[in-house]
Amino acid sequence: MNTEQKEIQKCTDQQKEEMQREISPQTYQKFETLKKILRDMGSVAIAFSSGVDSAFLLKTASMVLGDRAVAVTAQADQFPEWELEESISFCRAEGIRQIIVKADLLSGEAFSKNPPNRCYLCKKELFGKIRDTAEKEGIRYMAEGSNVDDLGDYRPGLSAVAELDFKSPLREAGLTKQEIRQLSHMLGLPTWDKPSYACLASRFVYGESITKEKLAMVEQAEQLLMSMGFRQMRVRVHGSMARIEVVPEEIEKIIRKGIRERIAGEFRRYGFSYVTLDLNGYRTGSMNETLERKDG
């Protein structure tokens, strides 16, 4: 019995019935396509951040390829410590081998100056290290977890993905974010309803320098909001001002007496001079809105 068959056998009859009710035939077919794509690779190093997409991709690769699927996780200042810890816990729970590579992008001016192609510079450095790791380990392919929904925003990092010959199996299979969440739930992954996240460098307005100290301020601020029950949120940085984004239905909560004062006080303690709330609410890529106005 192969690895995939053993994984499938773990599902009870009840789980299989629930799976069939929850997943549409079209989505399930995409899942089968994804497994074939990974099976044909033979061996693969997955760029693993512990997010929804990369966790699902890694789990599926492990089901199909067994120990020929390896997680490679980057450790750098622009990624919060809790995310690294979650990646380690996930791999241990799933019995997946993980390799952690360290990177220091802040030592180079190109990245720390925070140009519009910052994501490209980051991916080029980090994925280059993952490629080097794969070559040393004798792993045939490298893959990352972008999905078809990622094609709708300004994502210069995808250029680095193509240049370094990384595969994007989720996009190749035509999977959307919602479908990935459904399939993750089907597989019992704890990440199925995890809020979307991005590296801390994405919190800075383009052109503002990124430093280790500023990244630590953002990490502390977002950890505070998470501890207060705000799951999908961002703390954007504009000089010494923090701009908080929460989902619209939580705006009323964040301005309540006691909550508002605590956030303002703690943010000032972290180093912010001003604390503001974005009335448009949380949305992905809000820092790219300034690029759109300039282009227009």
Side-chain angles (χ1 to χ4, degrees):
M1 183 179 291
N2 62 31
T3 304
E4 183 179 347
Q5 289 171 330
K6 289 178 182 177
E7 288 287 344
I8 292 173
Q9 198 173 54
K10 291 179 183 178
C11 296
T12 64
D13 291 338
Q14 183 180 358
Q15 287 174 321
K16 290 178 181 178
E17 290 175 7
E18 291 174 354
M19 175 183 72
Q20 294 299 329
R21 287 196 298 269
E22 181 180 320
I23 309 297
S24 71
Q26 294 82 2
T27 299
Y28 198 77
Q29 182 55 52
K30 291 180 185 180
F31 183 42
E32 292 300 313
T33 299
L34 173 64
K35 289 193 285 186
K36 182 181 185 306
I37 291 169
L38 292 166
R39 190 180 298 113
D40 289 346
M41 287 183 179
S43 61
V44 62
I46 304 291
F48 179 53
S49 67
S50 82
V52 177
D53 299 326
S54 64
F56 170 68
L57 177 60
L58 178 61
K59 171 65 175 181
T60 307
S62 177
M63 286 172 58
V64 173
L65 297 171
D67 58 9
R68 290 172 293 155
V70 176
V72 185
T73 302
Q75 183 178 16
D77 290 323
Q78 64 268 36
F79 302 121
E81 190 65 26
W82 61 261
E83 196 169 45
L84 175 63
E85 292 172 358
E86 284 189 359
S87 76
I88 294 171
S89 296
F90 182 94
C91 289
R92 283 177 179 167
E94 296 293 336
I96 297 171
R97 183 181 171 214
Q98 181 184 33
I99 301 172
I100 297 172
V101 295
K102 295 184 177 181
D104 180 17
L105 278 82
L106 296 179
S107 62
E109 277 193 16
F111 177 83
S112 60
K113 284 185 175 180
N114 195 19
N117 70 335
R118 176 202 65 235
C119 188
Y120 168 82
L121 298 173
C122 179
K123 284 286 197 293
K124 187 88 172 187
E125 173 73 14
L126 297 181
F127 280 25
K129 288 182 176 294
I130 293 174
R131 184 181 65 177
D132 293 343
T133 299
E135 290 176 355
K136 288 177 183 177
E137 295 289 328
I139 299 171
R140 188 176 178 187
Y141 289 97
M142 300 82 61
E144 57 85 45
S146 62
N147 61 69
V148 295
D149 292 334
D150 292 326
L151 299 175
D153 190 17
Y154 173 68
R155 293 182 182 269
L158 293 181
S159 297
V161 168
E163 288 177 19
L164 293 169
D165 198 28
F166 268 68
K167 304 301 180 184
S168 302
L170 301 180
R171 279 196 283 141
E172 189 177 343
L175 285 160
T176 66
K177 188 76 167 188
Q178 181 59 31
E179 289 174 322
I180 291 166
R181 289 189 183 279
Q182 290 175 335
L183 290 165
S184 296
H185 186 257
M186 176 193 82
L187 295 176
L189 299 182
T191 52
W192 77 271
D193 64 343
K194 185 176 180 178
S196 297
Y197 205 74
C199 87
L200 297 173
S202 67
R203 313 300 195 262
F204 294 77
V205 64
Y206 291 117
E208 174 161 343
S209 63
I210 300 174
T211 66
K212 187 172 184 176
E213 292 72 26
K214 290 179 181 178
L215 289 169
M217 287 166 60
V218 175
E219 182 173 357
Q220 285 180 295
E222 293 194 342
Q223 281 186 321
L224 173 67
L225 294 179
M226 284 189 283
S227 72
M228 297 175 74
F230 297 97
R231 297 185 73 240
Q232 191 65 78
M233 52 72 204
R234 295 287 187 271
V235 175
R236 311 289 189 184
V237 180
H238 301 263
S240 62
M241 182 184 76
R243 174 170 59 87
I244 301 172
E245 296 178 8
V246 296
V247 291
E249 53 267 31
E250 290 188 326
I251 288 178
E252 183 180 349
K253 173 184 174 182
I254 203 169
I255 61 175
R256 288 177 191 164
K257 185 173 177 56
I259 294 179
R260 175 173 58 83
E261 289 87 349
R262 181 187 174 193
I263 292 172
E266 289 296 308
F267 275 39
R268 283 194 294 270
R269 190 170 66 83
Y270 300 150
F272 293 107
S273 299
Y274 305 97
V275 184
T276 66
L277 176 65
D278 192 324
L279 296 182
N280 287 315
Y282 165 79
R283 65 252 185 231
T284 58
S286 70
M287 288 307 198
N288 296 333
E289 294 168 5
T290 57
L291 295 178
E292 293 170 2
R293 284 199 293 271
K294 288 177 182 178
D295 292 342

